[in-house]
Amino acid sequence: MDNSLTPLVLKRLLVPTLLHLGFRKTLTMADEVVLLDFWPSPFGMRVRIALAEKGIKYEYKEEDLRNKSPLLLKMNPVHKQIPVLIHNGKPVNESLIAVQYIDEVWKDKSPILPSDPYQRALARFWADYIDKKIYVSGKKVWQTKGEEQEEAKKEFIGHLKMLEGELGDKAFFGGECFGFVDVALVPFYSWFYAYETCGSFSIEAECPKLMAWVKRCMQRDSVAKSLPDQHKVYDFVLQLKKKFGIE
Amino acid sequence: MAELKILGVWPSPFVYRVIWALKHKGVNYEYIEEEDLFNNKSELLLQSNPVKKKVPVLIHGSKPIAESAVILEYIEETWLQNPLLPQDPYERAMARFWIKFGEDKAVTFFAISRAVGEDLEKTTKECKELLQILEKHGLGKEKFFGGEEIGMADLALGSIACWLEIFEEVVGVKLIEPASFPRLHQWIQNFKKDPLIKDNFPNRQKLISFFKHRREAIVAAAKAL
């Protein structure tokens, strides 16, 4: 190459090319996080809270569950359900698994699970209890009426009282710090007004300590910004009741 | 070293998962049989699992841990040798996904042992659909869910699969047909052959007999209605 051309080649070709490649490398190194979700889903809210706790930027994609997107069907072929966390193109399904994943990948900030194995076991036990009991029993409250509903209310309140007992006098389920069990449970608060109105009862009256815990959680930005308005959820439940012919 | 106990009942696949995990890690424990789980729960059980009152319970020193999937994670995090989960967070999430799949669907699989007539036909169909999911999406090209070696997902799903084979014999249905589920079938054979599982399994005849008796009682009760 002619010496006099070298500086020009460097300036016009090599440097921009190298810069471009370096920039592209930086772009592909950055995390791409997408959340497939449905706004009233307590399970989706768990993942939103975890992402917010860690300060992770992500793209929220609202799914129409009556018309599931090809992306959802591709990313969760087994259950075809939300939430789906997609990290750099790879899907993580099941809300509590996604929360644990987020905790493990972004481990240098705001831990969600405690570090001690026994405390982790307790956290997992209670999150599993919430998973198995709260959604199903809550659903029965708004889906039924008469005697069936009275039974459902008893069961639902029973589970909340169990959790209230476990909370005790602690600030959060894990102790001083907001953590895994709080993330698992607090989304259901957005459904409390719906449960209470459909079932004619007051969760505050039944479980005052639990409601105090809810207020503490709602002081956190990550929670307040991840939960929809309770009245909006109630309107949604009314629509569902109409759709399923439950008056 | 703190004392380690397992509270269990011998015909339970959930109890065996815990036994396999501890054996895999080479950890010693004392096994305590819950003599009359359904009619007369022991003080120890009621104290150590007051919420669910179920087995298995792992008691490590004074610390009780309940729910087999939770116990497996506790064992993994407490005894770091011979890991049962991969290091990579994504691979761990995949393992947990299949463990949860097994947990959620276990009810359907175990319903086979109690189902008769129309119910049996329906449950058989449901089981085959679940097996199809495992066949298509679960097992990749590797020998086990854990890769070349047994991992936590294998222990969790393997316990269900081994008991399903027992139910096939008890009920007289074939679920895991090698032609329909070649990968699943091969995986179960590899799983059962592994010394960890082979050397730590309840007496097969005793197990078949136990579930046969239970089924007969349920069938008789159904007929009496």
Side-chain angles (χ1 to χ4, degrees):
Chain A
M1 199 185 284
D2 186 358
N3 275 346
S4 62
L5 275 177
T6 313
L8 200 66
V9 168
L10 272 172
K11 197 172 160 186
R12 293 279 172 85
L13 190 66
L14 273 176
V15 173
T17 308
L18 288 170
L19 274 175
H20 175 67
L21 284 172
F23 184 53
R24 269 190 58 191
K25 192 163 187 242
T26 315
L27 266 184
T28 55
M29 291 283 278
D31 285 310
E32 200 188 88
V33 182
V34 177
L35 178 64
L36 303 184
D37 201 347
F38 179 49
W39 70 268
S41 163
F43 306 100
M45 289 172 220
R46 291 168 170 176
V47 187
R48 287 174 230 166
I49 294 171
L51 289 166
E53 282 284 314
K54 302 277 186 180
I56 299 161
K57 289 194 166 46
Y58 66 97
E59 184 190 353
Y60 178 95
K61 283 196 172 158
E62 185 73 22
E63 280 286 330
D64 176 1
L65 297 180
R66 296 160 301 180
N67 186 18
K68 292 173 181 177
S69 73
L71 182 63
L72 174 57
L73 299 176
K74 182 176 166 208
M75 293 283 136
N76 191 355
V78 173
H79 300 300
K80 306 176 176 66
Q81 276 173 3
I82 55 91
V84 182
L85 179 76
I86 310 173
H87 184 204
N88 295 331
K90 296 199 287 195
V92 180
N93 296 308
E94 299 291 346
S95 61
L96 293 179
I97 294 175
V99 171
Q100 285 183 88
Y101 175 82
I102 289 165
D103 205 32
E104 287 177 8
V105 172
W106 288 276
K107 57 182 182 286
D108 298 325
K109 181 178 180 193
S110 306
I112 296 172
L113 272 152
S115 50
D116 171 67
Y118 184 62
Q119 295 303 319
R120 288 163 78 88
L122 289 176
R124 286 181 173 127
F125 175 86
W126 287 106
D128 175 70
Y129 180 90
I130 293 160
D131 242 9
K132 292 192 171 116
K133 308 288 187 188
I134 299 300
Y135 179 71
V136 172
S137 62
K139 202 172 174 191
K140 275 196 238 174
V141 170
W142 66 259
Q143 276 185 340
T144 58
K145 48 190 174 141
E147 254 215 58
E148 225 188 319
Q149 192 181 52
E150 289 308 307
E151 279 304 313
K153 274 158 67 177
K154 241 203 236 156
E155 199 194 326
F156 179 68
I157 292 165
H159 293 317
L160 289 184
K161 288 195 158 151
M162 176 71 84
L163 288 163
E164 196 183 44
E166 175 54 25
L167 176 68
D169 290 318
K170 304 192 296 268
F172 299 104
F173 279 90
E176 294 292 306
C177 299
F178 181 79
F180 195 59
V181 181
D182 309 290
V183 174
L185 184 61
V186 80
F188 291 98
Y189 168 62
S190 63
W191 283 66
F192 278 10
Y193 180 73
Y195 296 142
E196 287 171 321
T197 313
C198 294
S200 304
F201 68 109
S202 159
I203 295 173
E204 170 95 54
E206 300 282 352
C207 304
K209 274 188 164 164
L210 201 66
M211 287 311 291
W213 162 81
V214 166
K215 290 191 175 83
R216 276 193 292 279
C217 292
M218 288 298 284
Q219 280 168 4
R220 298 178 83 80
D221 243 4
S222 63
V223 178
K225 292 197 169 135
S226 301
L227 267 56
D229 175 70
Q230 290 191 83
H231 291 86
K232 206 174 161 206
V233 173
Y234 177 59
D235 287 340
F236 171 72
V237 171
L238 287 180
Q239 273 177 46
L240 282 180
K241 280 171 76 120
K242 220 182 190 167
K243 183 176 166 191
F244 292 114
I246 311 157
E247 281 316 322
Chain B
M1 238 277 278
E3 244 180 24
L4 192 64
K5 298 187 173 117
I6 302 176
L7 203 54
V9 290
W10 70 268
S12 164
F14 302 102
V15 168
Y16 269 84
R17 295 171 169 182
V18 177
I19 291 173
W20 292 335
L22 289 172
K23 292 273 185 192
H24 179 82
K25 303 254 181 189
V27 178
N28 288 328
Y29 60 89
E30 182 196 345
Y31 176 81
I32 301 171
E33 179 75 17
E34 185 64 23
E35 294 296 337
D36 192 357
L37 183 64
F38 294 109
N39 299 317
N40 192 17
K41 295 176 165 67
S42 72
E43 260 315 300
L44 184 59
L45 175 60
L46 296 174
Q47 268 173 33
S48 51
N49 190 3
V51 178
K52 301 271 186 81
K53 305 178 178 63
K54 291 206 275 202
V55 294
V57 184
L58 186 75
I59 310 173
H60 190 197
S62 57
K63 301 182 282 204
I65 301 117
E67 292 299 318
S68 61
V70 176
I71 296 171
L72 291 179
E73 296 258 11
Y74 177 79
I75 291 170
E76 177 71 355
E77 290 171 353
T78 305
W79 292 280
L80 304 179
Q81 67 275 27
N82 301 342
L84 286 163
L85 279 176
Q87 288 289 347
D88 173 66
Y90 185 74
E91 299 300 320
R92 291 160 80 87
M94 287 310 296
R96 287 178 175 137
F97 177 85
W98 290 111
I99 294 166
K100 184 165 201 300
F101 182 85
E103 292 291 287
D104 293 346
K105 308 302 180 188
V107 161
T108 308
F109 288 121
F110 296 144
I112 278 274
S113 70
R114 295 192 295 272
V116 281
E118 244 180 60
D119 223 16
L120 179 59
E121 259 183 65
K122 179 167 163 259
T123 310
T124 304
K125 185 164 174 272
E126 282 170 3
C127 281
K128 285 190 175 171
E129 282 164 7
L130 296 174
L131 292 171
Q132 189 58 254
I133 291 173
L134 282 166
E135 176 76 20
K136 188 172 174 199
H137 298 283
L139 283 159
K141 296 193 180 92
E142 307 205 291
K143 199 172 172 195
F144 296 111
F145 284 87
E148 266 309 293
E149 299 202 3
I150 286 179
M152 204 185 278
D154 300 284
L155 295 186
L157 290 167
S159 61
I160 297 173
C162 288
W163 261 251
L164 203 57
E165 283 200 327
I166 300 289
F167 298 153
E168 282 178 338
E169 201 158 323
V170 166
V171 180
V173 290
K174 188 68 188 158
L175 290 162
I176 311 170
E177 290 148 338
S180 310
F181 308 108
R183 277 197 279 205
L184 217 54
H185 185 259
Q186 188 59 58
W187 165 72
I188 295 173
Q189 301 318 307
N190 289 332
F191 184 77
K192 284 191 312 187
K193 264 195 313 223
D194 193 291
L196 174 69
I197 311 304
K198 203 163 65 135
D199 299 342
N200 300 291
F201 205 85
N203 179 286
R204 203 183 140 81
Q205 280 317 309
K206 219 177 145 194
L207 204 54
I208 291 171
S209 185
F210 173 84
F211 283 107
K212 260 202 173 122
H213 274 112
R214 214 176 67 152
R215 182 177 170 75
E216 276 158 14
I218 292 166
V219 169
K223 279 202 178 125
L225 286 169

